[in-house]
């Protein structure tokens, strides 16, 4: 990039600045130019005016690097909740950085070695959690952090952290009205993007994507469906689109194309991910790319407002919350992983955050951990990398910092009411949706892989990987075969363990 001023140079940018029109006015930048030119000038001039506090003024998703020739330092930033990826490695006297970990791994200066600590943590959580990656010596810049490089040392600092501070100042109706106002403000900025006049939206059966679709300028909804009715949300999504009198499109995913897509998804993600929904999301992105370049998606609400059952389930006394997703217990990991390291504790990635939030109510502590680790480590890794690989710019307006800051003030008693999760958000959604949609029970984004994996028509290549040479290096073959046979015998819950190991082995065979 060559956008520079006053010895300040923008060297890397990936993302979307939602409030760039207002920033152009504030920073005296012409808005009558391409979005790319606007955003690059905004970042340079924002750094000139506000320095390291510039991110306090930017709403959107971003990862960028700025070189300050005056101080001879490079600054690398990642957005507050981690919608965009950013990785780095120090090799000798060089700093390598990119939002695509595959670019770092391909650099000949890097001696690629497996980080076995991450493998052990991954088997428990199902995703690459925390600042380490599967490559030894390659690190993730965590959300709300920036890196300062002076040519010798990479120092990482936190500039923002999620803090839930409930205020007992308003009724549920008043909070809901504030949500409506904030959502309208965010989506009004999206509508100002005249460079992209046509947008579509992903739509599931849930309230988050339904509210986004109803309130946005998206012209058509897109969903994926399956022949297996117990996993298919397309009928619910279609009903929502019909109620809103908007267009609707459904991509039916077959088992054959799902399994064929897995290696491509793992390669594009750059790291193993045990979340099989990433494959379905990738196929959905591939389908919608035929019609739109920019697509909305509703990520963020479950983590901001409390959308998972784990958020309302009380913890046992003295327990630590280990994010809303984990697929193997410590005992199970020990039984299957060769060379299990007793010094690598399951609690390690969450301990600092859990200790920092001591004294807060349990829901606030849980949401802080999920916003900090699960949301970026699984959800955004999936959505950012798969959409980018398909040539889509994915906008996630509900991940906007302004909506988080509002959610952080709302008491837990308005987030869970009876069996209803994220209750106050649903009340806001009811301003644009019928109650039957706004208060519909959470469905989730389940994939029928738990059924498909047992089909001999598809699982032989997976078994070949599960019990191949690479597997024997890392996994106890007796335990693994017991799981496989038990799964084929009807114990469907074992599918997630098997898939997580398969995803790792696919990645390992290709990259190391």
């Amino acid at each position: 990039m060559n956008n520079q001023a006053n010895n300040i140079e923008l060297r890397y940018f990936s993302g979307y600045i939602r409030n760039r029109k207002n920033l152009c006015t504030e920073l005296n930048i012409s808005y009558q130019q391409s979005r790319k030119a606007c955003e690059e000038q905004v970042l340079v001039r924002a750094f000139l005016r506000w320095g390291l506090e510039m991110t306090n003024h930017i709403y959107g998703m971003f990862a960028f690097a700025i070189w300050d020739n005056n101080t001879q330092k490079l600054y690398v930033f990642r957005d507050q909740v981690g919608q965009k990826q950013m990785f780095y490695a120090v090799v000798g006297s060089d700093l390598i950085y990119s939002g695509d970990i595959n670019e770092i791994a391909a650099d000949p200066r890097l001696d690629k070695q497996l980080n076995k600590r991450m493998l052990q943590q991954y088997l428990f959580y199902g995703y690459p959690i925390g600042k380490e990656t599967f490559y030894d010596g390659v690190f993730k810049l965590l959300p709300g952090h920036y890196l300062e490089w002076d040519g010798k040392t990479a120092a990482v600092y936190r500039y923002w952290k999620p803090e839930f501070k409930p205020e007992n100042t308003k009724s549920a109706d008043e909070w809901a009205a504030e949500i409506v106002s904030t959502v309208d403000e965010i989506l009004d900025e999206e509508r100002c993007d005249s460079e992209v006049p046509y947008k579509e939206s992903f739509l599931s059966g849930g309230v988050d994507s339904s509210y986004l679709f109803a309130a946005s300028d998206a012209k058509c909804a897109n969903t994926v469906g399956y022949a297996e009715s117990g996993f298919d949300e397309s009928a619910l999504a279609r009903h929502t689109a019909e109620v809103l009198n908007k267009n609707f499109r459904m991509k039916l995913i077959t088992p054959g194309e799902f399994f064929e897509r897995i290696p491509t998804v793992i390669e594009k993600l750059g790291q193993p991910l045990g979340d099989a929904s990433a494959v379905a999301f990738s196929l959905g992105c591939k389908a919608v790319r035929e019609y739109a370049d920019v697509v909305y998606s509703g990520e963020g609400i479950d983590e901001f407002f409390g959308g998972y059952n784990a958020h309302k389930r009380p913890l046992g006394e003295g327990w630590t919350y280990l994010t809303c997703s984990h697929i193997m217990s410590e005992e199970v990991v020990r039984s299957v992983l060769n060379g299990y390291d007793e010094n690598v504790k399951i609690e390690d990635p969450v301990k600092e955050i859990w200790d920092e939030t001591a004294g807060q109510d349990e829901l606030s502590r849980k949401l802080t951990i999920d916003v900090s680790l699960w949301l970026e480590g699984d959800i955004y890794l999936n959505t950012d990398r798969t959409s980018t690989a398909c040539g889509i710019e994915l906008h996630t307006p509900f991940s906007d910092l302004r909506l988080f800051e509002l959610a952080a003030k709302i008491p837990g008693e308005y987030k869970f009411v009876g069996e209803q999760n994220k209750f106050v958000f649903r009340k806001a959604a009811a301003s644009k949706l019928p109650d039957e949609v706004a208060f519909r029970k959470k469905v989730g984004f389940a994939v029928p892989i738990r059924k498909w994996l047992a089909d001999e028509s598809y699982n032989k290549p997976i078994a070949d990987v599960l019990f191949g040479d690479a597997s024997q290096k890392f996994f106890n073959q007796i335990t693994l075969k017991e799981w496989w046979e038990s799964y084929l015998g009807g114990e469907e819950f074992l599918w997630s363990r098997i898939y997580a190991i398969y995803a790792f082995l696919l990645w390992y065979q290709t990259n190391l």
Side-chain angles (χ1 to χ4, degrees), residues 226-435:
Y226 312 98
E228 292 78 7
S229 60
F231 297 85
D232 185 50
E233 295 183 48
S234 64
L236 294 174
R238 182 185 298 276
H239 173 69
T240 300
E242 289 173 350
V243 166
L244 297 172
N245 197 29
K246 290 192 176 187
N247 295 328
F248 177 80
R249 194 182 299 117
M250 190 269 280
K251 160 65 180 174
L252 182 69
I253 295 178
T254 65
E257 63 184 334
F258 183 91
F259 287 112
E260 183 181 358
R261 189 72 173 178
I262 294 174
T264 299
V265 171
I266 297 300
E267 190 274 325
K268 298 300 183 183
L269 290 172
Q271 294 193 85
L273 182 63
D275 186 347
S277 70
V279 182
F281 191 78
S282 176
L283 289 167
C285 287
K286 180 183 177 184
V288 75
R289 182 62 182 84
E290 296 182 28
Y291 306 96
D293 299 321
V294 176
V295 184
Y296 291 126
S297 193
E299 283 74 25
I301 295 302
D302 284 326
E303 293 77 16
F304 293 0
F305 288 89
Y308 302 120
N309 289 332
H311 292 153
K312 62 183 176 182
R313 252 191 324 260
L315 290 174
E317 185 175 353
W319 286 24
T320 299
Y321 180 68
L322 301 174
T323 83
C324 64
S325 175
H326 38 86
I327 57 176
M328 301 187 203
S329 68
E330 189 172 13
E331 180 181 355
V332 169
V333 175
R334 187 182 285 109
S335 73
V336 76
L337 181 64
N338 294 336
Y340 182 91
D341 186 349
E342 297 289 348
N343 294 315
V344 177
K345 305 297 184 184
I346 284 175
E347 296 85 359
D348 289 347
V350 305
K351 187 177 187 309
E352 181 180 352
I353 300 171
W354 191 248
D355 290 346
E356 278 183 350
T357 57
Q360 297 181 22
D361 65 273
E362 187 174 291
L363 176 59
S364 293
R365 300 181 78 186
K366 289 177 175 180
L367 295 180
T368 302
I369 283 181
D370 280 338
V371 170
S372 301
L373 297 170
W374 152 261
L375 184 57
E376 73 86 20
D378 185 313
I379 303 299
Y380 292 142
L381 170 63
N382 166 4
T383 57
D384 178 44
R385 297 311 305 156
T386 53
S387 60
T388 300
C390 291
I392 284 175
E393 182 173 274
L394 193 74
H395 288 199
T396 52
F398 286 167
S399 296
D400 192 283
L401 187 59
R402 288 163 289 190
L403 198 52
F404 170 81
E405 290 172 341
L406 176 56
K409 298 175 185 178
I410 299 175
E413 65 191 87
Y414 295 142
K415 292 178 177 175
F416 285 100
V417 175
E419 293 300 310
Q420 193 72 260
N421 57 11
K422 50 194 179 189
F423 174 77
V424 70
F425 179 79
R426 293 177 184 274
K427 285 184 71 69
S431 67
K432 296 286 195 299
L433 298 167
D435 283 358

Side-chain angles (χ1 to χ4, degrees), residues 100-137:
D100 184 351
I101 197 171
N102 289 334
E103 291 185 2
I104 296 178
D107 194 300
R109 291 170 290 178
L110 184 73
D111 179 22
K112 291 194 297 183
Q113 300 291 333
L114 175 68
N115 179 0
K116 293 182 179 179
R117 292 186 305 278
M118 177 52 72
L119 172 57
Q120 188 164 319
Q121 296 285 14
Y122 163 79
L123 293 177
F124 178 77
Y125 288 97
Y127 59 96
I129 186 172
K131 66 181 180 181
E132 294 191 40
T133 72
F134 273 87
Y135 293 106
D136 202 16

